[in-house]
Amino acid sequence: MMKRKTMCWVLTMAFLAWCVPAFSLAAEEKMLDLAGGSITITETKYVQNGQETPYSGAYRIKQSGGQTTNTITVQSGDIAMTLENVNMAEGAGKMPPIAVESGAHLTLTLAGENTLTTASHGVSAADAIRVPEGARLTVKGEGKLTAETKGGACIGVSTGKSGTIRIEGGVIEATNRDGAAIGGGYSAVAGPIYICSGQVTVHGYGNTAAIGGGGLNKAGAELIEISGGTVYAQAHGVASTAIGAGASGPFGTIRITGGQVTAVAGYGNAMGSGMYRETDTAEGKIELLGGTLITKGTVGGMNWPAADSLTINGVVWYGDAGNAETFSKAQNPTGLFFNGQAGTVYGQMKLTGDLTIEKDQTLTLPQGSQLIENGHKLSCLGKLEGDGALQLDTLTLRLSAKANEPLKAGDTVALTATLDRALADAEIQFMVNGQAIGTPTAVGEDAQTAEATYLVRTPSTYTFTAKMSYHGVAVESEKPVQLTLAEESAAPTATPQTTPAQTNPPAATQTPGGVSTGDGSLPMWVLWAVLGVAAGGGGVVLYQKIKRD
């Protein structure tokens, strides 16, 4: 036994001794001061001021002193680098402050305040962060990057085609005075651009996109996908677009699945292609699959075949009358569109984020439409109307009933419906066997409970229902829950009846719609309670199965 314990101790210590250096290496960073000279990095070494140093770990680059023309070049490898409080300008020979060569992947973590500027103009202007075709850049962190160029891309490349750009965090403010801020610069095609998180504000001047392709030679875009974060893109040129392709270039695929995106046109389009002539035809697909989109300007471009090229399924879109026409051309759109202060729900709309109807807004749900919270929160400070329906799955409505035992003609059943949180301008209507009991009872910020009583005239089976409306629009359940109790006379003689306090309900089960039918709270708006009433003996049996798992 002692030998076994000793062996276990030895193995444990050996394991820890192996782990500690491994963890230390994972956390190691090489600290470099950019003021000491330009830096070139590969997967096995770095070179600064002519001195070569073997190294294969992560980097943290800072800068002492004022603005520098020293640059950073990542030649090869998968490099992790933190950029902290640097102020970099264009280097000698139009060298970009940061360059990622083809074949390399730079994961750039932003810390503090970082500024990159270039001053050269035209086709061969210097980029702030050059990412040519074959290169990959991932930006993350909690710091800030401010970039300004005059032809070169702030992030991307000014000629040819840009590589893969992925933004996962940070605050980015980018302005190109004569080209695309993120993507194709002055004249380049934009490769794949992914914005997953962070705060991105970009401005593009000239006949280009703010995010996407350049303006010369119909430079287009391959893919622009936004899945999160906050994005504000504004174009300032004549034949420009905020998101897409400059001039008359094809804009590939623009896909929005989440986040909040604002696209503001200059003299061209908010999204799609910037156009020169009315005879041009915009080429590309737009997929609006979630998130919030705010557009100021047209979407698509001249003669764009929206019916074949626009997919709408889950977006909340704030636009104008022209955008409303574009929205309506999509095949079977599912979404929410606001034309000014008037909004309309199309199809079975599932929210992908919280939504507030502001006090000066009206949202209409036409017959057959449905607005589903889908785990997010709907709040209404304005007005809801229409014959459609709501599903508010972030709230729980509980229905309970009390009655004498045994129940006789002339007795009353006391009904109580309770919301689990305050909800302004909501009403509860109690029903029995499909017929209303009295008038709707208001619940709201001051009252989360509605009550009613029902007079039993003859022994029978009664189905009690609590139905709800929110700002006058019906609230319905995806899967209503029904509690069915047989009359005492129909109960099996081998099983004695018990009172609710003595009953042990069956274990909870989960339905495909997420409705608990056992001993648990039900996130449902329509809850059924069926009372089995017998003329003599036994009394009422009411199973309270209305609780959350």
Side-chain angles (χ1 to χ4, degrees):
M1 181 63 71
M2 181 61 69
K3 290 182 178 180
R4 183 177 298 177
K5 289 183 177 180
T6 301
M7 181 59 69
C8 290
W9 182 85
V10 171
L11 291 174
T12 300
M13 295 305 294
F15 174 75
L16 291 174
W18 176 80
C19 286
V20 169
F23 292 139
S24 297
L25 285 172
E28 182 181 355
E29 286 185 327
K30 174 63 68 174
M31 304 284 291
L32 296 177
D33 186 348
L34 193 57
S38 294
I39 301 169
T40 301
I41 298 172
T42 72
E43 66 269 35
T44 59
K45 65 183 179 181
Y46 70 89
V47 178
Q48 185 176 27
N49 199 24
Q51 183 175 351
E52 181 177 307
T53 304
Y55 183 71
S56 59
Y59 293 84
R60 180 174 292 266
I61 297 181
K62 299 183 178 182
Q63 177 192 340
S64 59
Q67 187 182 62
T68 181
T69 56
N70 292 331
T71 62
I72 301 170
T73 302
V74 177
Q75 289 186 333
S76 61
D78 195 338
I79 306 301
M81 177 192 301
T82 297
L83 198 66
E84 183 175 354
N85 295 323
V86 302
N87 185 354
M88 304 174 66
E90 178 179 338
K94 297 185 179 181
M95 276 294 294
I98 299 175
V100 185
E101 300 296 343
S102 182
H105 176 207
L106 173 61
T107 299
L108 185 65
T109 300
L110 301 176
E113 301 272 343
N114 301 279
T115 301
L116 309 178
T117 58
T118 64
S120 53
H121 295 264
V123 175
S124 59
D127 310 302
I129 302 179
R130 185 174 66 194
V131 187
E133 186 173 15
R136 292 183 294 150
L137 172 70
T138 301
V139 181
K140 58 198 303 185
E142 298 180 357
K144 182 177 180 180
L145 172 66
T146 301
E148 183 169 337
T149 60
K150 296 183 178 180
C154 294
I155 301 176
V157 71
S158 59
T159 59
K161 181 181 179 180
S162 63
T164 300
I165 300 167
R166 186 178 185 90
I167 298 173
E168 297 182 351
V171 177
I172 297 173
E173 296 180 358
T175 301
N176 188 342
R177 296 295 175 182
D178 196 15
I182 298 178
Y186 185 83
S187 63
V189 174
I193 300 170
Y194 302 92
I195 301 177
C196 311
S197 186
Q199 299 178 40
V200 180
T201 302
V202 293
H203 294 267
Y205 291 78
N207 298 324
T208 68
I211 300 176
L216 193 63
N217 300 321
K218 295 186 177 181
E222 180 179 328
L223 170 66
I224 302 170
E225 181 171 304
I226 302 173
S227 58
T230 301
V231 178
Y232 179 93
Q234 183 170 358
H236 299 269
V238 174
S240 61
T241 184
I243 300 174
S248 300
F251 55 86
T253 298
I254 300 171
R255 180 180 300 128
I256 298 175
T257 63
Q260 179 170 312
V261 181
T262 302
V264 181
Y267 300 96
N269 295 309
M271 294 173 61
S273 290
M275 310 305 291
Y276 274 122
R277 299 171 295 272
E278 292 185 1
T279 55
D280 289 335
T281 298
E283 299 178 18
K285 294 184 178 181
I286 297 177
E287 301 174 359
L288 305 177
L289 309 179
T292 300
L293 173 64
I294 302 169
T295 54
K296 297 181 180 180
T298 55
V299 169
M302 294 291 185
N303 305 310
W304 182 56
D308 301 321
S309 304
L310 175 62
T311 301
I312 297 176
N313 187 7
V315 72
V316 178
W317 184 354
Y318 297 86
D320 56 22
N323 299 148
E325 182 180 356
T326 301
F327 189 107
S328 66
K329 291 179 180 179
Q331 296 291 331
N332 301 316
T334 297
L336 194 161
F337 184 84
F338 270 93
N339 180 2
Q341 303 302 322
T344 304
V345 175
Y346 293 79
Q348 311 300 302
M349 168 63 178
K350 293 183 178 180
L351 293 179
T352 58
D354 292 347
L355 174 67
T356 298
I357 310 303
E358 302 295 346
K359 63 181 181 179
D360 54 351
Q361 294 177 331
T362 298
L363 179 63
T364 301
L365 290 84
Q367 186 173 11
S369 68
Q370 193 174 46
L371 182 59
I372 304 167
E373 282 191 317
N374 194 33
H376 303 283
K377 183 179 178 182
L378 170 67
S379 301
C380 184
L381 305 177
K383 184 179 180 181
L384 294 173
E385 61 183 26
D387 297 323
L390 301 170
Q391 276 191 26
L392 306 181
D393 54 18
T394 63
L395 291 176
T396 299
L397 176 67
R398 296 180 177 86
L399 174 64
S400 62
K402 293 182 179 179
N404 293 325
E405 301 181 44
L407 187 67
K408 304 181 295 297
D411 284 348
T412 59
V413 178
L415 301 169
T416 302
T418 305
L419 294 175
D420 66 349
R421 65 176 172 88
L423 188 69
D425 204 6
E427 289 185 335
I428 302 293
Q429 175 66 69
F430 291 97
M431 311 284 289
V432 57
N433 293 341
Q435 299 297 315
I437 302 174
T439 58
T441 302
V443 294
E445 295 178 344
D446 298 326
Q448 294 174 235
T449 300
E451 296 179 346
T453 58
Y454 180 73
L455 177 64
V456 176
R457 299 185 182 278
T458 58
S460 181
T461 297
Y462 297 100
T463 299
F464 292 99
T465 309
K467 293 188 175 181
M468 182 174 175
S469 65
Y470 181 46
H471 285 261
V473 175
V475 178
E476 63 182 29
S477 165
E478 182 180 2
K479 288 184 176 294
V481 177
Q482 180 170 317
L483 299 175
T484 303
L485 303 178
E487 296 184 37
E488 185 185 15
S489 59
T493 57
T495 304
Q497 297 287 354
T498 60
T499 65
Q502 297 169 320
T503 299
N504 293 319
T509 58
Q510 191 76 16
T511 69
V515 179
S516 172
T517 58
D519 185 16
S521 300
L522 298 171
M524 296 269 95
W525 288 109
V526 182
L527 301 178
W528 300 76
V530 179
L531 300 178
V533 182
V540 177
V541 181
L542 174 61
Y543 292 100
Q544 299 285 348
K545 299 182 183 176
I546 310 175
K547 297 180 181 178
R548 189 179 297 278
D549 293 340

